[in-house]
Amino acid sequence: MMKDIVDLISGKLKEDNRSRICIVTHKNADPDAVASSLTAYYIVNNLCSKCRLTLCYPEGIAAYSHKILERYAKCSGSHISSISTSECSEVDQNPDIVITVDTANPEQLGCFSEILRHSKYVITVDHHKTGELKLQSNLYVGGEKYSSTSEIMALILEAFLKGKNRDDNILPCLATMLMSGIVYDSRRFLNITSKTFKVMEILRVFGGNYFEALNLLEKEEDRSQRIAILKACQRIILREICGFIVVGTHIGSFESNVARVLVNNGADIAIVLSDKKDATRIALRSRDNTVDISAFASWLAGKLGTGSGGGHFNSALFEGVLKGFERSRDKKVKKFLDLFGEFCNERSS
Ligand SMILES: [Mn+2]
């Protein structure tokens, strides 16, 4: 099946071997997104050496993804900065092909969602719950049956390499990064699929080094992140809704980390609001076997008639411009706790 996809893509590239191609991830690219984008780069670059390729990281990559990018620059010998950008203005506005990785909704692409609309052909590789991007793409690869986009990219890489000479010093490096992507997105193998371990073995055979993959994910606990978590805890509003322990709070940044900490420490549901420059982002988490929090995220978008929401069963994101809300963030958080109550009652009735 992945072989068909590789054939399709190489056929597409043969049509016009001077294509301008933009490979783009979601905002604040995590290790899964970065490893996947670099693998896509490697494959496309091998299929079409004359194509003009750009790696696009909307609003830059996450702090904890830097190690992966640096590692790649080292083993590929190429300067990542010369092939990657976080600025839409630096990219051809009408690329022939856009490849999106690890993203379900165009909003997650930031300003690159505009470029998407002007491109002739869109390929989406993703493992999130199906979103708007699947509908907008000419070719969709993936689905929720994969632990991570890295898992999908590893299978595409395997299909691509079939019958090829594997004597390539970038390959072991790429395999290690994909391992990091899988470890990261599966939360160290808590969320796996039937293919996860098989894929890890494939990557090992390609020269991937598991211990190095773990090392690439290690980071010094960031001081500002620790302060953010503590501040968010100070502002907690605790409620019992539908029999669940629901915790709401707000913070300027690190909202996803805060939400994770809250659920790991006793909350069934965490709702963490963060006002950004031009929208409000709400990180949502639920404890295993409680509530499909991605359903709440998309319910919110419908209920409020603004923004978009989606994600996974235990982890989701809502992002939108809130209208008619009080300015006080505490009041906003309370409003979202009320909304969760409404959602919960609708479900159980
Ligand atoms: Mn992912």
Side-chain angles (χ1 to χ4, degrees):
M1 179 241 178
M2 289 301 184
K3 186 76 190 133
D4 298 338
I5 283 157
V6 171
D7 289 345
L8 211 76
I9 295 171
S10 78
K12 187 78 205 155
L13 293 172
K14 275 194 193 113
E15 277 173 31
D16 178 4
N17 66 2
R18 288 172 197 279
S19 292
R20 292 152 304 161
I21 303 170
C22 167
I23 297 168
V24 61
T25 71
H26 58 78
K27 288 187 260 187
N28 203 33
D30 60 16
D32 183 36
V34 171
S36 300
S37 64
L38 293 171
T39 309
Y41 183 91
Y42 174 83
I43 294 172
V44 175
N45 198 33
N46 270 287
L47 285 171
C48 180
S49 55
K50 288 201 177 104
C51 287
R52 268 193 287 149
L53 270 166
T54 319
L55 281 167
C56 307
Y57 297 114
E59 297 172 24
I61 68 169
Y64 46 87
S65 303
H66 279 286
K67 261 190 174 177
I68 292 186
L69 211 52
E70 280 161 22
R71 182 82 187 86
Y72 185 76
K74 223 179 186 178
C75 57
S76 68
S78 75
H79 248 292
I80 295 293
S81 58
S82 63
I83 52 168
S84 77
T85 178
S86 54
E87 301 294 333
C88 292
S89 54
E90 286 174 23
V91 179
D92 202 310
Q93 299 300 303
N94 304 291
D96 300 297
I97 301 173
V98 173
I99 303 174
T100 74
V101 296
D102 204 33
T103 313
N105 285 297
E107 285 85 357
Q108 287 294 101
L109 302 174
C111 57
F112 288 92
S113 62
E114 274 303 303
I115 290 167
L116 185 84
R117 292 201 287 136
H118 299 141
S119 90
K120 294 185 206 111
Y121 197 80
V122 179
I123 301 170
T124 294
V125 187
D126 186 39
H127 71 112
H128 295 95
K129 195 173 195 163
T130 304
E132 198 56 38
L133 264 179
K134 185 173 181 176
L135 304 172
Q136 291 186 17
S137 57
N138 304 79
L139 174 64
Y140 175 86
V141 191
E144 281 192 290
K145 59 180 186 287
Y146 299 95
S147 74
S148 53
T149 304
S150 295
E151 193 171 302
I152 307 166
M153 288 309 307
L155 292 167
I156 297 176
L157 182 66
E158 184 196 30
F160 166 73
L161 290 169
K162 202 152 266 171
K164 281 196 182 61
N165 175 19
R166 289 178 189 172
D167 191 17
D168 175 339
N169 45 12
I170 301 179
L171 190 57
C173 186
L174 218 46
T176 301
M177 291 187 308
L178 288 171
M179 282 179 165
S180 297
I182 293 170
V183 170
Y184 181 83
D185 253 41
S186 69
R187 295 197 294 144
R188 296 187 179 240
F189 304 113
L190 280 177
N191 302 328
I192 57 162
T193 63
S194 58
K195 298 173 199 70
T196 309
F197 290 117
K198 192 182 145 221
V199 169
M200 286 299 284
E201 173 59 12
I202 290 169
L203 293 172
R204 190 193 62 77
V205 171
F206 287 167
N209 181 324
Y210 179 61
F211 297 103
E212 200 186 331
L214 292 180
N215 185 270
L216 286 174
L217 296 173
E218 250 165 50
K219 55 184 170 177
E220 282 175 40
E221 200 67 66
D222 187 80
R223 184 184 161 87
S224 51
Q225 180 182 319
R226 284 189 285 137
I227 291 174
I229 290 169
L230 294 170
K231 272 190 185 167
C233 287
Q234 223 172 8
R235 298 169 184 152
I236 279 176
I237 300 169
L238 173 66
R239 289 216 191 135
E240 209 176 314
I241 302 171
C242 293
F244 296 118
I245 302 167
V246 186
V247 162
T249 185
H250 58 89
I251 194 69
S253 52
F254 301 109
E255 57 279 0
S256 298
N257 307 60
V258 169
R260 190 174 342 119
V261 166
L262 295 175
V263 163
N264 286 345
N265 287 280
D268 289 316
I269 312 293
I271 300 174
V272 183
L273 181 142
S274 183
D275 277 329
K276 304 293 182 194
K277 214 170 76 197
D278 29 44
T280 299
R281 183 186 288 191
I282 298 173
L284 299 159
R285 288 284 188 289
S286 65
R287 196 200 276 271
D288 287 344
N289 306 320
T290 54
V291 172
D292 180 359
I293 206 70
S294 71
F296 177 52
S298 47
W299 179 90
L300 274 177
K303 179 79 185 172
L304 300 173
T306 179
S308 70
H312 300 287
F313 190 94
N314 292 124
S315 162
L317 201 65
F318 168 83
E319 196 170 341
V321 179
L322 304 180
K323 293 180 200 90
F325 274 66
E326 302 219 35
R327 283 181 72 102
S328 143
R329 294 199 176 109
D330 281 331
K331 283 185 180 157
K332 277 188 207 168
V333 170
K334 281 183 185 149
K335 175 77 183 162
F336 277 96
L337 290 169
D338 291 342
L339 284 165
F340 180 76
E342 212 179 299
F343 165 78
C344 198
N345 285 326
E346 259 182 36
R347 291 280 148 139
S348 49
S349 65

